[in-house]
Amino acid sequence: MPYFESPVDGARLHFVDYGPAAGQVVVFVNSAYFGTEMWEYQMLPLAEAGYRCVGFDRRGHGRSDDAWGGFDLDSLADDVDGLLRHLDLREVTLVGHSVGTAEVVRCLTRHGVERVARVALVAGMAPGPARSADHPAGVDPALIEAGNETFRRDRAAFFAEGARAFFALDLPGNDLSEAYVQSMVDRCHGATARAGTALSDLVVTLNVAPELAKLDLPVLVVHGTHDASAPLDLTGRRAAQLLPDSTLKVYENAGHGLFATHAEQLTDDLREFMARG
């Protein structure tokens, strides 16, 4: 299996590289808990259509090394940049989901945009859901911390009981098999307890709002109306307003897991976004 070494501490991070080597490059940055398998409904069709689709398992996730350190946003962003440099990728479309969107933003503001042509923020936590001095309408940090404590006490229950809200399964159009949902719950355990708790703690203070305003490249923002993890008005819509060059697409009834419930729509929107030149 292919690996690259983290520029932060040498941790071995597993990556996948699908499609033709000469294809237009799309790099996927995962949500917390998941590895690259979360993108199967985007990576496989796009690779078959001639795109080069690259993704990696974050430290402490999937097939990458278990690690204690490196879960601050700068280090996570350095790992993303490390992948781009390891494969010498250019003219990249950088796609992030959930907390992965913050890693994408920090990667660009920390390392520059010379390798990246455009960005897609999918069900993003960016710019940050918590209340802060510049975001008084945000969620009380104490509520996020309480959820994090529930996670620490019983990760298994947290994943199992949160699946319906994650995929908004009680709303029309979000039709997933019980087998698929269970498989994704199981895959959440591919992240170590350390990795999961560290990323949960990161969300409490996450604030990349000033960085979004500095991104001088096209950005597609995709968000669901019923995203319980990253409420639309606090994250996706706010991100689109902060970005200099953004396109906001709102999916009716979609939750945080729209990469599965709205798989074809998301894949089509990514393809359309990349075709703009």
Side-chain angles (χ1 to χ4, degrees), residues 15-199:
F15 70 92
V16 297
D17 191 348
Y18 296 159
Q24 186 176 348
V25 182
V26 195
V27 174
F28 293 87
V29 182
N30 312 328
S31 171
Y33 320 130
F34 295 121
T36 54
E37 70 282 343
M38 68 167 283
W39 297 108
E40 65 174 294
Y41 299 127
Q42 286 73 50
M43 293 185 78
L44 297 186
L46 288 173
E48 290 168 352
Y51 293 87
R52 181 181 180 183
C53 296
V54 177
F56 77 109
D57 294 344
R58 181 188 291 105
R59 57 180 55 237
H61 288 62
R63 290 158 286 187
S64 290
D65 281 355
D66 191 0
W68 178 258
F71 291 101
D72 60 285
L73 191 55
D74 281 352
S75 294
L76 294 170
D78 289 351
D79 286 346
V80 176
D81 184 68
L83 174 65
L84 303 185
R85 293 181 185 279
H86 174 74
L87 296 175
D88 193 24
L89 302 176
R90 307 279 178 173
E91 293 296 311
V92 170
T93 299
L94 195 52
V95 183
H97 179 267
S98 190
V99 72
T101 61
E103 293 167 76
V104 164
V105 172
R106 180 61 56 85
C107 176
L108 297 177
T109 57
R110 186 168 165 83
H111 296 284
V113 300
E114 59 271 9
R115 292 179 178 272
V116 179
R118 63 191 66 80
V119 171
L121 306 180
V122 179
M125 285 288 181
R131 182 184 304 159
S132 62
D134 62 349
H135 189 211
V139 177
D140 184 346
L143 293 178
I144 301 176
E145 290 171 347
N148 292 351
E149 184 56 35
T150 299
F151 178 87
R152 287 186 183 88
R153 286 198 305 269
D154 193 340
R155 287 188 302 139
F158 180 90
F159 294 141
E161 294 170 4
R164 294 200 70 80
F166 183 86
F167 291 112
L169 295 177
D170 296 325
L171 294 175
N174 298 329
D175 302 319
L176 299 173
S177 70
E178 291 183 10
Y180 175 82
V181 174
Q182 184 58 54
S183 75
M184 296 305 282
V185 170
D186 293 342
R187 287 185 181 277
C188 286
H189 292 282
T192 66
R194 166 59 180 166
T197 55
L199 290 181

